[in-house]
């Protein structure tokens, strides 16, 4: 009888040990929407023909609007206003680099990236701006890159021969993120035909001041007629105010806190 009890005990112990090892080995590592998500969105931006098609679609529509505008008289010289990052230039390699080392955006690493002037162009961007220039329409670049990034920014634009890539036409961030004052400065001397950007704040002050997700949606619907007409939106699933709004613009949150906020806003079934 003793032998039987001993055998049963050994079998149960082995079973428990095996079960624990199996659980430990098969448990999937926790996914991180903030870090790993940047790799996924960067894959789309770099590899998907659909992403390129969306960019081409935006610029094709923009060209149609340019042609329409040229049929109308204008007292002031014509101009367009464009954002730079993810509107003209592709920064996805920066996101990939940060994700690989398990980190997200910070100003120091970003400034180092822009200083190297290594951004490629978005599909259709150079052809469109070259067309705009051929119609004697000036291009103003309004970006929230910092003044310390001016040299690298101009170098990157000039590398591809973008028109009006000079200090006079480049308005960078000085104190505030809102681009409204800079847009109004251009509007004072020019007839603004189009605005191009990847973030809603590139188009109107209605999207400034860290609007909530709900307010951003409401204001988007209020401006529904402008999209594809005066506002040309380029796709950017990698970053932007859409992301900040999810965690109430608490950029000091840890990746885990941002991840938690994102998951709490997801819908499944």
């Amino acid at each position: 009888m003793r032998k039987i009890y001993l055998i049963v005990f050994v079998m149960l112990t082995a079973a428990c040990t095996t079960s624990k090892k199996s659980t430990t080995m098969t448990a999937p590592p926790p996914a991180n929407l903030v870090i790993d998500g940047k790799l996924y969105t960067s894959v789309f931006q770099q590899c998907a023909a659909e992403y390129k098609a969306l960019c081409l679609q935006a610029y094709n529509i923009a060209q149609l609007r340019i042609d329409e505008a040229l049929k109308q008289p204008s007292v002031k010289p014509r101009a367009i206003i464009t954002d730079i990052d993810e509107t003209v230039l592709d920064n996805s390699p920066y996101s990939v680099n940060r994700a690989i080392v398990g980190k997200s955006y910070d100003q120091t690493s970003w400034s180092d990236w822009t200083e190297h002037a290594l951004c490629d162009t978005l599909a259709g961007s150079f052809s469109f701006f070259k067309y705009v220039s051929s119609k004697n329409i000036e291009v103003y670049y309004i970006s929230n890159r910092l003044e310390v990034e001016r040299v690298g920014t101009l170098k990157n634009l000039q590398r591809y021969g973008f028109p009006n890539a000079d200090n006079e036409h480049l308005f960078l961030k000085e104190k505030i993120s809102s681009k409204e004052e800079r847009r109004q400065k251009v509007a004072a001397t020019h007839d603004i035909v189009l605005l191009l950007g990847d973030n809603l704040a590139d188009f109107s002050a209605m999207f400034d001041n860290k609007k909530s997700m709900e307010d951003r949606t409401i204001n988007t619907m209020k401006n529904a007629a402008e999209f594809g007409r005066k506002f040309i939106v380029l796709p950017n699933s990698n970053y932007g105010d859409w992301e900040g709004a999810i965690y109430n613009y608490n950029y000091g949150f840890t990746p885990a806190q941002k991840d938690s906020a994102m998951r709490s806003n997801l819908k499944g079934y």
Side-chain angles (χ1 to χ4, degrees):
M1 184 64 71
R2 279 173 150 186
K3 289 183 178 179
I4 293 174
Y5 284 144
L6 182 60
I7 292 171
V8 171
F9 175 76
V10 171
M11 291 176 65
L12 288 173
T13 302
C16 290
T17 303
T18 303
S19 175
K20 287 181 180 179
K21 287 182 179 179
S22 178
T23 301
T24 302
M25 292 175 65
T26 58
N32 190 309
L33 294 179
V34 178
I35 304 299
D36 296 342
K38 299 298 183 184
L39 288 176
Y40 199 84
T41 54
S42 295
V43 166
F44 175 68
Q45 190 163 329
Q46 294 180 4
C47 303
E50 286 82 357
Y51 174 78
K52 294 176 178 61
L54 287 169
C55 295
L56 291 169
Q57 177 176 261
Y59 280 116
N60 285 342
I61 293 172
Q63 184 166 322
L64 290 174
R65 297 296 175 251
I66 291 292
D67 292 340
E68 290 175 356
L70 290 172
K71 295 177 183 178
Q72 304 299 321
S74 178
V75 177
K76 295 185 288 187
R78 295 182 175 90
I80 65 170
I81 292 176
T82 183
D83 177 50
I84 294 177
D85 299 309
E86 276 51 68
T87 302
V88 178
L89 299 178
D90 175 5
N91 293 277
S92 58
Y94 169 79
S95 295
V96 171
N97 178 273
R98 299 301 289 166
I100 287 176
V101 296
K103 297 180 180 179
S104 56
Y105 166 92
D106 67 64
Q107 185 59 52
T108 301
S109 62
W110 171 259
S111 294
D112 179 69
W113 159 251
T114 58
E115 182 182 358
H116 285 79
L118 295 174
C119 294
D120 202 347
T121 60
L122 267 64
S125 63
F126 177 72
S127 296
F128 169 74
F129 288 105
K130 184 178 180 181
Y131 180 79
V132 168
S133 180
S134 73
K135 300 299 181 180
N136 296 317
I137 298 175
E138 290 184 73
V139 180
Y140 282 87
Y141 304 90
I142 298 183
S143 168
N144 275 348
R145 290 188 178 194
L146 302 181
E147 275 294 331
V148 294
E149 300 173 75
R150 178 175 291 274
V151 173
T153 301
L154 287 175
K155 181 180 178 181
N156 212 151
L157 293 171
Q158 292 166 356
R159 172 185 173 188
Y160 297 105
F162 278 95
N164 303 121
D166 52 44
N167 284 315
E168 180 185 351
H169 292 83
L170 177 62
F171 295 167
L172 300 178
K173 178 180 175 181
E174 293 182 358
K175 294 181 179 180
I176 59 175
S177 296
S178 174
K179 296 181 176 181
E180 184 62 18
E181 185 177 338
R182 285 170 281 174
R183 285 192 292 262
Q184 291 304 320
K185 186 175 181 179
V186 178
T189 56
H190 290 73
D191 174 17
I192 301 175
V193 179
L194 282 179
L195 297 101
L196 299 96
D198 64 297
N199 193 46
L200 292 174
D202 293 330
F203 305 106
S204 169
M206 290 181 69
F207 300 101
D208 288 341
N209 302 318
K210 299 179 179 180
K211 293 290 193 300
S212 67
M213 289 190 293
E214 181 181 6
D215 285 341
R216 296 182 88 245
T217 298
I218 290 172
N219 289 340
T220 296
M221 299 313 296
K222 286 180 179 178
N223 286 276
E226 298 295 339
F227 295 106
R229 192 180 72 85
K230 184 130 186 206
F231 301 163
I232 305 297
V233 186
L234 279 296
N236 182 4
S237 59
N238 212 320
Y239 65 90
D241 285 348
W242 68 265
E243 180 185 351
I246 293 175
Y247 43 84
N248 296 317
Y249 304 96
N250 289 309
Y251 293 112
F253 270 12
T254 65
Q257 289 173 312
K258 292 178 181 179
D259 187 86
S260 178
M262 290 180 179
R263 291 177 185 276
S264 68
N265 282 282
L266 290 172
K267 295 180 180 179
Y269 71 94

